[in-house]
Amino acid sequence: MDRQQAMHVMFSHTVLLKFNRSDDEFFTRIGEYAEQLRTACEGVMQLRFVRNEASRSGGFTHGFITSFVDESAHDRYQEMPAHIELKQYIMPHVTELIVLDSTIS
């Protein structure tokens, strides 16, 4: 891969979630965690917690859509205290999740 191609490579991390909890307070707190992570983690290009609007969602009501400058930035994000705290907060309420990680060029 030449320098021009390398400049356009990023790492995408998407998590689709089914929850057993659906109150506004819960989702607001998750959004606050997402904002904290977006600003605190070096190498995050985009991090959004979103409602799934697809009619064919299969019950996956929400998701995280995250882009990193590279895979190592994603790896650092996974170890951040705020990310670990977020997982501790939501996992008791997650009934199922799907993760899609991909290098995009």
Side-chain angles (χ1 to χ4, degrees):
M1 176 180 330
D2 66 25
R3 181 178 166 88
Q4 181 70 14
Q5 290 172 316
M7 291 174 55
H8 298 288
V9 173
M10 68 177 194
F11 190 81
S12 175
H13 174 67
T14 301
V15 181
L16 298 176
L17 300 148
K18 290 183 182 181
F19 291 108
N20 62 12
R21 184 174 170 183
S22 61
D23 57 281
D24 289 340
E25 179 183 335
F26 177 65
F27 293 126
T28 297
R29 178 106 185 261
I30 295 171
E32 290 167 355
Y33 276 116
E35 179 62 22
Q36 180 183 2
L37 283 164
R38 187 181 65 76
T39 59
C41 183
E42 184 179 330
V44 172
M45 298 169 61
Q46 170 183 282
L47 192 155
R48 299 283 186 259
F49 177 66
V50 297
R51 190 175 143 275
N52 189 348
E53 298 174 6
S55 61
R56 58 193 184 282
S57 69
F60 291 92
T61 61
H62 291 77
F64 289 94
I65 301 171
T66 314
S67 301
F68 299 90
V69 294
D70 55 27
E71 189 171 357
S72 63
H74 167 263
D75 294 344
R76 288 190 303 277
Y77 159 84
Q78 290 293 325
E79 300 301 320
M80 290 195 65
H83 183 254
I84 293 166
E85 191 177 321
L86 167 64
K87 290 192 303 186
Q88 290 172 340
Y89 178 71
I90 69 170
M91 287 311 293
H93 307 288
V94 172
T95 59
E96 191 173 353
L97 64 83
I98 296 174
V99 175
L100 171 65
D101 287 341
S102 182
T103 300
I104 301 186
S105 56

